[in-house]
Amino acid sequence: MVDVAAKLKITIPAPCLKNKRKDGCCKACLVEVDGKRSYACTTKPIAGMEVTVRTKELDRIRKESLKEFKSQVRAGSSSPCLCSGSC
């Protein structure tokens, strides 16, 4: 879904994808699909699905998640997001 959004000039942050990780581990790509929260990096686009990228709550979660992700990178962690559900 992140790639499809980018083609439509819609930015969905997904640092876990850039670091070859997946499963929404960094939580930065959190979106709402048909009213339910989902990670854009793992959601397959389907014709007709309604995707909300920006709400106050999604922005808040994304901001906190990116802050945590960046702090792990600055701390020198070689694996800033282990996709184990702990980050």
Side-chain angles (χ1 to χ4, degrees), residues 27-68:
K27 301 177 187 169
C29 67
L30 188 66
V31 294
E32 290 180 3
V33 177
D34 298 327
K36 296 182 181 181
R37 290 186 182 162
S38 181
Y39 296 111
C41 69
T42 60
T43 302
K44 304 236 185 276
I46 300 171
M49 70 183 349
E50 186 176 317
V51 179
T52 303
V53 176
R54 304 283 313 266
T55 67
K56 286 183 181 183
E57 183 64 10
L58 290 174
D59 287 347
R60 183 190 67 74
I61 293 168
R62 189 175 293 119
K63 182 178 178 179
E64 289 176 14
S65 298
L66 286 171
K67 182 179 175 181
E68 176 65 23

Side-chain angles (χ1 to χ4, degrees), residues 2 11-21 26 28-29 40-41 66 69:
V2 174
T11 301
I12 300 174
C16 59
L17 285 180
K18 291 179 184 177
N19 289 292
K20 297 183 178 17
R21 292 167 175 87
C26 69
C29 67
C41 69
L66 286 171
F69 185 83

